[in-house]
Amino acid sequence: MSAAPALPEKPKGKRPIGWIIAAAVVVVAIVVALIVGAVRSGGSDDGAAAGGSPKTVTIGVADKSLSYWSTYTKLAKSKLNVTVKLTNFSDYSLPNPALKDKQLDLNQFQHIQYLADYNVTSNDDLQPIGSTAVYPLPLYATKYDDVADLPEGAKVAIPDDSINQARALLILQAAKLVTLEDGGSAFSTTTDIESSKVDVQPLNASQTANALQQGSVAAAVVNNNYATAAGLPISDAIYQDDPSSASAAPYVNVFAVRNADKDNTTYLDLAKLFQDESVQKVFKKDLPEAVSRDESASTLQEELAKVEQDAKAAKQ
């Protein structure tokens, strides 16, 4: 019997070109999806790089009219691709609740001591993420050139909020106008005055400058923002504390955020942006008496924790 004929091998024909194109499209789609996913996971909604998607951030302030904020907002747009909207407050009691209620993303108006007192009193946990400056707290007088010139019993206005009141009382004590129980503290009140040459008048912080200019008080401790708004020249100050001393650490002004946002890179970048040379140049022109401070978020948060402990002890 003859052998069965061998079957011919199947020809190695070319695969249809349509299949190849379809496969290539699938591969490209997968690569694109992976790249997009990586970018989104890496930047999320925290990123503030200039090449990222534009963002809008609202910051609560107390001195919106000063020109350094214009420099700052322009720089935020050009460097970080962030549109900063400033909301101005004339009452210090409002920006923290507004931040807590998410009407703001950040605020920048207060020092650590004020923030600590707010957190303890309101059972909140706002956190500092960047510093700006320490402002000396001046005692102003329009008719007197020296503290010693204030007459016995002269009315002196001080801010009535708990933190600025304590600091103002320490200034009056350093100026030898009052004596405080046990030497006073960062949480002293008018009830701690043991003796006084002057009649201390606690007023809303926004009204101290007005009281001085209207002549209802002989002198007044006026917060920097309100002094600027009222046009009080620093030459009218007859006394002030030392913003460069170690004891001034609790009075470093800060950018504050909700605790959940303390690691948000966009907000951290905005806080750091304040230290940019172009912002600092205008800031120092606007507020020559301010002493700039550049502290890390962790350092500020550690200081806040310490002051909060002191605040809790003072309220017991």
Side-chain angles (χ1 to χ4, degrees), residues 3 7 18 36 42-43 48 56 87 99 105 131 134 136 149 219 241 259 264 267 298:
L7 294 174
V36 170
T56 299
T87 299
L99 179 58
D105 298 308
S131 60
V134 177
D149 295 335
D241 54 3
N259 185 58
N264 183 300
Y267 299 166
S298 59

Side-chain angles (χ1 to χ4, degrees), residues 44-182:
S44 69
D45 58 0
D46 281 356
S53 58
K55 304 181 190 320
T56 299
V57 173
T58 302
I59 303 178
V61 301
D63 56 356
K64 178 182 176 180
S65 63
L66 294 185
S67 55
Y68 74 88
W69 281 120
S70 176
T71 302
Y72 176 87
T73 55
K74 290 176 182 176
L75 203 61
K77 186 63 178 176
S78 64
K79 279 197 168 185
L80 305 178
N81 201 18
V82 174
T83 298
V84 170
K85 291 186 176 180
L86 300 175
T87 299
N88 202 71
F89 293 87
S90 59
D91 186 337
Y92 284 173
S93 68
L94 299 178
N96 281 334
L99 179 58
K100 177 181 180 180
D101 295 339
K102 299 185 178 181
Q103 298 171 33
L104 306 171
D105 298 308
L106 304 90
N107 67 36
Q108 196 285 297
F109 78 101
Q110 66 194 323
H111 48 54
I112 288 176
Q113 189 101 17
Y114 188 96
L115 177 57
D117 186 69
Y118 165 79
N119 277 347
V120 170
T121 302
S122 304
N123 193 30
D124 207 345
D125 59 353
L126 303 183
Q127 294 293 316
I129 61 167
S131 60
T132 60
V134 177
Y135 300 90
L137 188 58
L139 173 65
Y140 285 93
T142 55
K143 296 180 180 179
Y144 304 96
D145 297 325
D146 192 277
V147 173
D149 295 335
L150 288 172
E152 189 82 25
K155 292 182 178 180
V156 177
I158 65 172
D160 65 358
D161 61 272
S162 59
I163 296 305
N164 284 306
Q165 179 177 156
R167 189 180 180 189
L169 287 170
L170 290 172
I171 290 170
L172 296 186
Q173 179 171 253
K176 303 186 184 312
L177 296 175
V178 304
T179 302
L180 301 173
E181 183 180 357
D182 296 327

